[in-house]
Amino acid sequence: MRKIVLMGLVALISINMVACNKSTVAKINDVKISKDEYKKTEDFLYATGTIESKDKSNQVNSDILSFIIDNEVVYQAAQEEGIKVKDFEVNEKFNNIKETIDENPAYKEKLKEAGINEEFLKKQVKKDLVVSKYKENFLKDIKISDKEIKSYYESHKDEFKIQEVRASQILISTLDDDNKQVSKEEKEKLKTKAEKLLNKVNNGEEFNKLAKKYSDDKNSGKDGGDLGFFSKEDKNIDFTKEVFKLDKGKNATLIETSYGYHIVKITDKRTVTKSLEDSKDDIKYRILNEKYSKQIDSLYKKGKITIT
């Protein structure tokens, strides 16, 4: 989970820790983390797609707890250094997030189920911006040499092997001309349309002809639906997390994302190794985050942290 925090895959999901009369799972200096707060964080991580499933056993997940503690430790250090953010920064970030949520009904519903309202989210936005500014201040003067980058690449070469798939799709969009989700009634009609096309594909009709005729993704549609090779990071995560579960040469599958209904078929799979040149930015990012991780470790040692 620390990787999620440090690699920038999660923004704005640090929980506001306050003392609580209920049972606690940890204490960071004078701040208690209640079991309820832990659970709310887990629900939020699940709602935002950061974790794919929730623990139904009611046990504390060490990765999630580590994530919470990391954020609280850094937040306390930022407060000691007097790091603050302006109201306009909070409002700007909050409005961007709210717009994204409003455009994705499924995402909005998950947040609602997790008890994440606008007041809660705005508090977390403010706190996360403080944490981000602390990290930015820590890293701004650190220089990474080409020698360090090359050495890292050579010693971690296996980590730069990536899985790619080649897929074809027919997209039935559920967005209107203003890029907003259509009504529920219209969406049901579009789903029926997509299911009929799926049946046609799996009953032997030519995928490329159907894609050219029906796909709302005109770029791939003109190529018969071919998306070319791509990795999990190259496209929308809601799309790729399902696509990479599929097998080459099997029947097409229907996948729903915020863009609409995707009729997808895997045509090839491969493993490639990124070159040093193509990996430089990634390596620099990794090295900086390793240094930041060590800084968090030093904050752990200075503080008093109790796991209950």
Side-chain angles (χ1 to χ4, degrees), residues 40 43-44 47-48 101 104-118:
K40 197 167 189 178
D43 287 341
F44 192 34
T48 54
I101 293 171
N104 190 332
Y107 182 63
K108 189 173 183 177
E109 185 60 29
K110 281 186 177 181
L111 290 176
K112 184 179 178 180
E113 290 174 2
I116 310 302
N117 56 27
E118 291 188 4

Side-chain angles (χ1 to χ4, degrees), residues 36-286:
D36 285 347
E37 290 166 328
Y38 165 86
K39 187 61 181 172
K40 197 167 189 178
T41 302
E42 182 182 38
D43 287 341
F44 192 34
L45 292 171
Y46 175 70
T48 54
T50 307
I51 58 176
E52 293 187 4
S53 62
K54 294 188 292 184
D55 191 338
K56 297 180 181 179
S57 66
N58 205 33
Q59 297 297 311
V60 173
N61 181 296
S62 60
D63 287 337
I64 295 174
L65 185 58
S66 175
F67 161 78
I68 294 171
I69 294 173
D70 283 355
N71 276 277
E72 181 59 30
V73 163
V74 175
Y75 181 66
Q76 290 182 21
Q79 287 182 306
E80 289 178 6
E81 293 185 12
I83 294 175
K84 297 179 180 179
V85 292
K86 305 287 187 182
D87 287 343
F88 81 87
E89 295 177 281
V90 177
N91 291 331
E92 182 179 10
K93 195 71 177 179
F94 172 77
N95 288 333
N96 288 339
I97 293 170
K98 187 175 182 300
E99 184 177 342
T100 300
I101 293 171
D102 289 342
E103 289 176 356
N104 190 332
Y107 182 63
K108 189 173 183 177
E109 185 60 29
K110 281 186 177 181
L111 290 176
K112 184 179 178 180
E113 290 174 2
I116 310 302
N117 56 27
E118 291 188 4
E119 181 182 1
F120 173 89
L121 186 57
K122 202 163 190 176
K123 287 180 180 178
Q124 310 323 309
V125 167
K126 184 173 183 178
K127 185 172 180 180
D128 189 76
L129 286 173
V130 171
V131 170
S132 295
K133 191 164 284 190
Y134 177 92
K135 180 180 179 180
E136 181 183 334
N137 289 347
F138 176 77
L139 295 177
K140 66 182 180 181
D141 296 323
I142 296 177
K143 306 296 181 185
I144 308 297
S145 68
D146 288 342
K147 185 177 180 180
E148 283 181 276
I149 292 173
K150 184 177 181 181
S151 175
Y152 187 99
Y153 180 79
E154 293 298 334
S155 59
H156 297 79
K157 217 163 190 178
D158 284 347
E159 296 178 16
F160 295 96
K161 290 181 178 179
I162 57 173
Q163 301 297 316
E164 293 185 336
V165 299
R166 185 171 189 173
S168 293
Q169 77 158 351
I170 301 169
L171 172 65
I172 304 303
S173 175
T174 55
L175 301 177
D176 61 21
D177 292 339
D178 296 321
N179 225 28
K180 305 290 186 182
Q181 285 287 331
V182 298
S183 66
K184 287 185 178 180
E185 293 77 12
E186 182 62 23
K187 192 172 181 181
E188 281 301 314
K189 292 178 183 178
L190 293 170
K191 184 177 182 180
T192 299
K193 178 181 178 180
E195 288 171 341
K196 287 180 178 178
L197 285 169
L198 177 66
N199 288 334
K200 287 184 177 184
V201 169
N202 288 335
N203 285 327
E205 292 196 35
E206 292 187 44
F207 195 105
N208 62 335
K209 288 184 179 180
L210 292 171
K212 288 177 181 179
K213 185 175 181 179
Y214 293 106
S215 183
D216 291 322
D217 178 3
K218 301 307 178 186
N219 287 329
S220 65
K222 63 180 171 37
D223 296 323
D226 183 27
L227 296 170
F229 279 100
F230 56 91
S231 68
K232 286 184 178 179
E233 288 73 34
D234 289 339
K235 298 187 182 297
N236 178 279
I237 187 172
D238 290 333
F239 180 72
T240 58
K241 74 179 182 182
E242 298 300 328
V243 168
F244 274 78
K245 295 176 184 177
L246 305 178
D247 295 322
K248 174 183 173 182
K250 299 294 184 180
N251 281 350
T253 301
L254 190 64
I255 296 171
E256 181 182 356
T257 72
S258 57
Y259 295 98
Y261 298 104
H262 308 253
I263 299 161
V264 181
K265 192 169 186 176
I266 303 300
T267 56
D268 205 355
K269 289 190 174 187
R270 70 183 183 186
T271 301
V272 297
T273 302
K274 291 176 66 176
S275 68
L276 172 60
E277 189 62 34
D278 289 340
S279 303
K280 279 186 175 180
D281 288 342
D282 182 19
I283 293 171
K284 183 177 179 181
Y285 196 57
R286 292 187 188 198

